Amino acid sequence: MYNVRKVTGDLYWVGANDHRLALFENIHPIPRGVSYNSYLLLDEKTVLFDTVDWSACRQLLENLDHLLGDKPLDYLVIHHMEPDHGASVEEILLRYPGVKIIASAKAFAFMQQFGFHVEGHEQIAVKEGDAQCFGKHTVRFFAAPMVHWPEVVVSFDEADGVLFSADAFGTFGALDGKLFADEVNFDRDWLDDARRYFTNIVGKYGMPVQTLLKKAGGILDQIKFICPLHGPVWRKDLEYFIHKHDLWSRYEPEEKGVLIAYASMYGNTESAAQALAARLCERGMTNVHVYDVSNTHVSYLISEAFRLSHMVLASVTYNLGIYPVMHNFLADMKALNLQNRTVALMENGTWAIKSGELMKKELEGMNRMTVLEQSLTMTSALHGDQAAGLDQLADAIVASCRS
Ligand code: FEO
């Protein structure tokens, strides 16, 4: 059954929702699913903006069939060639043999790399500032390299003020009928997934996102809609979501607060982490969040690390190193370029305790990370006679949060 929604007078969402995929990019859990957004413009010329993942191709085809009827599809715009959007390109070319393709030169190269046969179709390579007129609508293209791949372009429909933003301003979560961000309680129900999407997928590329935000800033008063490739379309409170992206891409925390991530084999490191959390709350901290790294997917930890100003990393020593899942969290932080956080360390071990020193070294290899001097070492378990040390650690974290 076709399933389309009108975005503006002659622009339709023709994408698909996916609740079957468990892991986005085969790594990030998506318990609320995901949407692959495609848009169809019915102007004097008909234009499809992006396709969908191969698994959702049938839905896209039904949607196109419903809206186009006997009309041809004149143009296919590819903003981003990653297969969650580009995998159905060849099927579109087969169904609509007259379609002309608009993409960046690099996107055409990627089509070849993925084995799509675009020969025989007119290929229009666009670069910064190029425009294409489809009738009433003129669409201008802007390069957005590394948001999130190098071939990415975004485009702006000058007639209706629609920004087709590619992966930018996207989020995990299937739409399930709701198309616009103002049809959901975004702050309550979607923001965490939006942050987890941004930080894990695009987080590494803060500078390119800042460049894109500056370009968008130049036409901000003209942008009436933001149409991303995943998640809801924005037509109200654009500043709210733009501000979040500005913070995330500058690696500024959204909130003063403490993420306590612990790696515990037999519960002793966990017990110490919990005792620290209680002391922080006793001292008036209201934004303390405790996670076991062994049963929390690292994408959630990364998202929380981007949200909060402070972190406590508590890890046992394992094979004379950092506990592997904690090590993985640190490696992901570095890969995603997280910076500008204050971190306190707790280490544990029964002999040859090394995890604190090693975690510090990892953090020193990242940008603008502050490691508090106050730390805590426990041998096998934290005992009552170390309560003063725990109090001092809590005092140091609270003082840093309030500074
Ligand atoms: Fe949603 Fe980078 O693809």
Side-chain angles (χ1 to χ4, degrees):
M1 177 61 189
Y2 68 82
N3 180 17
V4 302
R5 281 203 60 184
K6 194 177 263 212
V7 181
T8 63
D10 49 10
L11 180 71
Y12 294 81
W13 178 86
V14 291
N17 294 296
D18 188 350
H19 281 282
R20 293 187 173 199
L21 188 72
L23 297 174
F24 188 81
E25 295 184 344
N26 208 17
I27 186 168
H28 307 293
I30 44 170
R32 297 173 57 244
V34 69
S35 74
Y36 312 113
N37 297 344
S38 297
Y39 304 92
L40 180 68
L41 179 66
L42 299 177
D43 200 348
E44 286 170 27
K45 299 294 180 187
T46 58
V47 187
L48 175 63
F49 294 91
D50 298 294
T51 73
V52 297
D53 188 82
W54 179 245
S55 63
C57 183
R58 190 172 179 81
Q59 183 69 63
L60 171 65
L61 295 174
E62 283 194 56
N63 294 344
L64 292 177
D65 201 36
H66 167 67
L67 287 172
L68 287 170
D70 293 334
K71 276 189 235 140
L73 179 65
D74 297 308
Y75 290 91
L76 168 62
V77 172
I78 294 295
H79 292 104
H80 181 22
M81 250 321 284
E82 191 164 7
D84 54 334
H85 312 293
S88 301
V89 164
E90 200 169 50
E91 189 63 27
I92 295 295
L93 302 185
L94 288 169
R95 302 257 176 167
Y96 301 98
V99 71
K100 302 177 177 71
I101 314 166
I102 300 174
S104 68
K106 199 173 270 296
F108 283 115
F110 285 2
M111 285 177 214
Q112 299 287 346
Q113 285 178 220
F114 280 108
F116 299 149
H117 298 286
V118 296
E119 316 82 33
H121 291 265
E122 190 176 326
Q123 299 170 31
I124 303 167
V126 284
K127 53 185 183 333
E128 179 78 13
D130 285 357
Q132 288 282 325
C133 181
F134 302 117
K136 190 159 68 85
H137 297 263
T138 295
V139 172
R140 195 167 295 279
F141 293 86
F142 300 92
M146 302 320 299
V147 186
H148 125 245
W149 277 19
E151 86 295 3
V152 172
V153 291
V154 301
S155 66
F156 183 63
D157 170 8
E158 296 171 344
D160 283 343
V162 178
L163 176 66
F164 296 98
S165 63
D167 271 346
F169 304 110
T171 170
F172 294 140
L175 293 168
D176 298 344
K178 287 91 60 180
L179 177 62
F180 297 101
D182 55 273
E183 294 176 327
V184 300
N185 187 331
F186 195 89
D187 202 65
R188 186 191 67 194
D189 299 332
W190 284 77
L191 181 60
D192 285 345
D193 259 341
R195 183 188 306 105
R196 193 165 62 89
Y197 169 85
F198 179 89
T199 57
N200 285 278
I201 306 297
V202 197
K204 180 178 180 64
Y205 307 113
M207 280 295 283
V209 172
Q210 278 290 308
T211 304
L212 179 61
L213 289 176
K214 283 195 178 70
K215 283 185 195 179
I219 53 167
L220 201 54
D221 57 331
Q222 299 168 53
I223 301 175
K224 307 291 179 234
F225 297 84
I226 297 177
C227 291
L229 286 175
H230 302 285
V233 168
W234 290 79
R235 62 182 174 185
K236 291 182 183 166
D237 292 334
L238 271 53
E239 299 76 16
Y240 160 88
F241 209 32
I242 291 171
H243 174 62
K244 294 291 182 193
H245 284 76
D246 181 43
L247 289 176
W248 297 333
S249 57
R250 284 189 293 113
Y251 306 101
E252 288 292 327
E254 282 169 79
E255 299 164 20
K256 287 268 189 194
V258 185
L259 157 66
I260 301 180
Y262 68 82
S264 186
M265 291 168 66
Y266 297 104
N268 293 308
T269 308
E270 176 182 6
S271 171
Q274 291 287 357
L276 177 67
R279 277 164 170 75
L280 292 174
C281 294
E282 272 174 357
R283 284 160 173 74
M285 298 284 306
T286 55
N287 207 10
V288 177
H289 306 268
V290 179
Y291 293 93
D292 180 347
V293 295
S294 292
N295 63 27
T296 308
H297 190 273
V298 69
S299 64
Y300 292 88
L301 299 173
I302 287 292
S303 183
E304 286 292 76
F306 269 74
R307 179 168 72 97
L308 300 165
S309 59
H310 286 66
M311 254 185 284
V312 177
L313 302 180
S315 179
V316 290
T317 303
Y318 197 82
N319 288 333
L320 291 183
I322 305 166
Y323 195 67
V325 278
M326 180 64 85
H327 206 171
N328 184 47
F329 178 31
L330 283 156
D332 240 17
M333 274 187 227
K334 182 166 187 184
L336 294 166
N337 211 5
L338 180 67
Q339 41 192 287
N340 190 28
R341 296 297 185 275
T342 300
V343 187
L345 298 173
M346 297 168 76
E347 62 177 352
N348 195 0
T350 299
W351 76 100
I353 303 167
K354 302 286 281 181
S355 54
E357 167 195 331
L358 293 171
M359 287 192 291
K360 185 161 187 254
K361 205 162 155 200
E362 295 285 340
L363 291 160
E364 285 169 352
M366 301 179 202
N367 290 324
R368 297 193 293 149
M369 290 298 221
T370 303
V371 180
L372 290 180
E373 269 183 38
Q374 198 74 42
S375 64
L376 197 72
T377 298
M378 57 200 116
T379 45
S380 302
L382 190 67
H383 300 288
D385 59 5
Q386 284 183 281
L390 200 57
D391 283 329
Q392 284 162 9
L393 185 59
D395 287 340
I397 294 166
V398 170
S400 172
C401 279
R402 289 186 177 149
S403 65

